[in-house]
Amino acid sequence: MRKQINKIVFFAIFVFITIIACSEDDNIDRTAPGIVSNVSVTPTNGGGIINYSLPSDDDILYVKAIYTNSQGEEVFKVASKHNTSIEVNGLNQSTPVNVKLYVIDLNKNVSNTVEVAFTPLESFIFLVQESVNITPDLGGVKITWENIASKTVFVYVHILDDGEETIRILSSNNPQESIFIRGLAAKELTFFTKVEDFDGNITELVEKGKYTPLFEEKIDKSTWTLIANQSINGDAFEGRTVNFWDDVVDTVETDADNSYFIITRDNNGGSLNFPLDIVIDLNKNVKIQRFKVWQRAFWFNGGGVTYHYQEENIKTFDLYSSNDGQTWDLLGQFDIGDPRDAAGNITTAAFQEAIEGHEFSLPNTSEQFRYLKFSITSNYGSTQITVGSEITLYGLDNL
């Protein structure tokens, strides 16, 4: 008898739930929203901007555009109810593209289709290809281009050297880009380029000409001298300011190569007032395009732990040049960066970069100069001491 009553109760509950569910289902809006109207298209380079008016429905969620790109793939773009336009792109064709527009509401109801066709303008990748310019530079070449669409492009640079080909792939979405390719021999090389967009559209490989990179050399430091009356005092403990250019890079493993400067507040008026300037007379004229800076590495009582990125090491600095030691031209502002995470951990790659030296490039090859000012603007946090190991310049020596 009890089992029979339980069955009746369970059946009654099931019927009740079903009735409620059906009742709630009956309340769901199943009416499709209206369609977009006043549709117009402004073709762009490799796409188009579709403008429209939304229907009067008060529960619109978004508008969806479905089309087939130039790779033969069906793709879609969406725009929220707060927009009255939608952009389609990834096109590389001179024939019309058909776009289907739908309105979707909060209950996922889909409107009837509105179709629009238009022919896009020439893809921006061809404009980028046409704008690519190559100029010889120290140890390589400088590649520049314009990208009016400000969309990601991949510029493939094929370099032909006596039948041997190497390929460099450069990428950017900047409207104007300038990138150096380094490590090239000072001999005539033939350059080809092609440009690809994020959707896989790509131009033909085009020859851009023959160029000879300029000879680049390490600037010899044996002639350099310190201008002490314009420089901070870096002579403390085992440190010496002139160690900054003695061609000895401090290492983690031993104190036998302790080669770094140590700037203390006690030796400099009781405080570290940034910037801390080190002014050098090269005693010759040079031009430079890039340089390397090394941090102090050895840590006394550190048990073999590296001193890289510790609070006393240099972090940011400005570089100046001069021909009279009085009037200075800013070559650039530079930041080694802080690879430490919230727990103070540093990646192996960051340590390796510090060991090999932090390399920096100038925006352009400098004008000829004789005097160099290394102006330290911050360390990693110390208010008492700032240290650094070595600087090396690369360019044209003894002009």
Side-chain angles (χ1 to χ4, degrees):
M1 180 68 176
R2 180 176 295 176
K3 289 183 179 180
Q4 186 174 5
I5 292 174
N6 288 341
K7 289 180 180 179
I8 294 172
V9 171
F10 288 144
F11 179 74
I13 292 173
F14 172 76
V15 171
F16 176 75
I17 292 174
T18 301
I19 292 172
I20 294 298
C22 291
S23 176
E24 291 177 352
D25 192 57
D26 289 341
N27 292 329
I28 294 177
D29 177 15
R30 300 185 183 280
T31 304
I35 60 175
V36 293
S37 59
N38 302 319
V39 178
S40 63
V41 183
T42 302
T44 62
N45 295 102
I49 299 175
I50 303 173
N51 296 282
Y52 50 80
S53 296
L54 293 168
S56 59
D57 302 66
D58 59 6
D59 61 347
I60 295 173
L61 187 59
Y62 60 89
V63 173
K64 185 175 186 178
I66 300 177
Y67 59 101
T68 300
N69 66 18
S70 298
Q71 306 300 311
E73 303 165 334
E74 184 175 270
V75 294
F76 68 88
K77 304 289 183 181
V78 297
S80 78
K81 64 180 180 181
H82 303 295
N83 296 312
T84 56
S85 67
I86 191 167
E87 182 180 7
V88 298
N89 51 33
L91 302 174
N92 176 25
Q93 59 193 72
S94 57
T95 55
V97 58
N98 189 62
V99 182
K100 297 179 180 180
L101 300 171
Y102 300 92
V103 179
I104 291 86
D105 66 19
L106 292 170
N107 288 299
K108 302 300 190 293
N109 297 310
V110 181
S111 72
N112 290 327
T113 307
V114 173
E115 296 192 25
V116 60
F118 71 95
T119 302
L121 302 178
E122 180 183 40
S123 174
F124 67 94
I125 61 175
F126 294 98
L127 303 181
V128 171
Q129 172 73 301
E130 292 172 5
S131 73
V132 169
N133 186 59
I134 301 175
T135 54
D137 212 285
L138 292 172
V141 295
K142 181 168 69 173
I143 311 288
T144 63
W145 68 79
E146 295 181 1
N147 181 357
I148 63 170
S150 293
K151 298 182 185 299
T152 298
V153 292
F154 304 93
V155 177
Y156 295 79
V157 182
H158 294 240
I159 306 169
L160 199 61
D161 178 6
D162 293 333
E164 295 292 327
E165 183 182 59
T166 59
I167 301 174
R168 305 285 183 93
I169 303 175
L170 315 177
S171 179
S172 168
N173 62 0
N174 294 326
Q176 293 186 328
E177 188 55 86
S178 176
I179 299 178
F180 290 98
I181 295 180
R182 298 281 178 213
L184 302 180
K187 57 187 294 190
E188 186 178 76
L189 305 171
T190 306
F191 292 81
F192 302 79
T193 63
K194 61 181 178 181
V195 181
E196 184 179 17
D197 66 15
F198 201 75
D199 296 280
N201 301 304
I202 193 166
T203 68
E204 295 292 329
L205 188 65
V206 175
E207 181 177 341
K208 286 293 182 176
K210 300 178 186 297
Y211 301 93
T212 302
L214 304 179
F215 174 72
E216 180 191 59
E217 59 189 323
K218 175 185 172 184
I219 304 300
D220 178 71
K221 292 180 265 188
S222 63
T223 63
W224 298 13
T225 56
L226 175 69
I227 303 182
N229 64 355
Q230 295 187 48
S231 300
I232 202 76
N233 183 353
D235 298 346
F237 308 108
E238 73 279 7
R240 294 292 179 270
T241 306
V242 295
N243 289 348
F244 196 37
W245 59 88
D246 65 356
D247 262 337
V248 178
V249 175
D250 186 40
T251 60
V252 176
E253 294 77 16
T254 176
D255 62 354
D257 55 11
N258 286 344
S259 177
Y260 39 75
F261 59 80
I262 300 179
I263 301 169
T264 68
R265 66 180 186 182
D266 293 339
N267 284 358
N268 292 280
S271 62
L272 293 181
N273 292 318
F274 294 102
L276 309 174
D277 293 339
I278 297 175
V279 181
I280 308 167
D281 183 353
L282 308 183
N283 290 294
K284 58 185 173 182
N285 294 318
V286 304
K287 288 184 178 182
I288 66 170
Q289 207 295 310
R290 66 185 179 99
F291 63 97
K292 281 187 174 185
V293 170
W294 283 264
Q295 302 176 51
R296 173 180 168 178
F298 186 78
W299 194 343
F300 282 96
N301 302 319
V305 178
T306 178
Y307 203 68
H308 296 124
Y309 306 106
Q310 294 302 312
E311 63 175 11
E312 295 175 354
N313 256 309
I314 54 174
K315 181 180 182 295
T316 63
F317 55 91
D318 298 339
L319 205 64
Y320 296 87
S321 66
S322 174
N323 284 304
D324 59 9
Q326 301 297 323
T327 304
W328 297 95
D329 295 319
L330 179 66
L331 296 177
Q333 297 178 307
F334 305 95
D335 187 349
I336 291 175
D338 192 346
R340 298 174 296 184
D341 62 17
N345 298 313
I346 300 173
T347 65
T348 301
F351 280 128
Q352 189 60 38
E353 179 185 6
I355 292 169
E356 295 177 358
H358 303 280
E359 183 169 334
F360 300 93
S361 292
L362 305 184
N364 294 289
T365 300
S366 74
E367 297 296 327
Q368 179 175 299
F369 67 90
R370 170 174 171 169
Y371 299 90
L372 183 74
K373 179 162 66 176
F374 187 86
S375 186
I376 304 166
T377 52
S378 73
N379 57 28
Y380 285 91
S382 175
T383 60
Q384 301 183 51
I385 296 176
T386 295
V387 297
S389 178
E390 188 74 19
I391 184 170
T392 295
L393 309 178
Y394 298 91
L396 295 176
D397 201 359
N398 200 24
L399 299 175

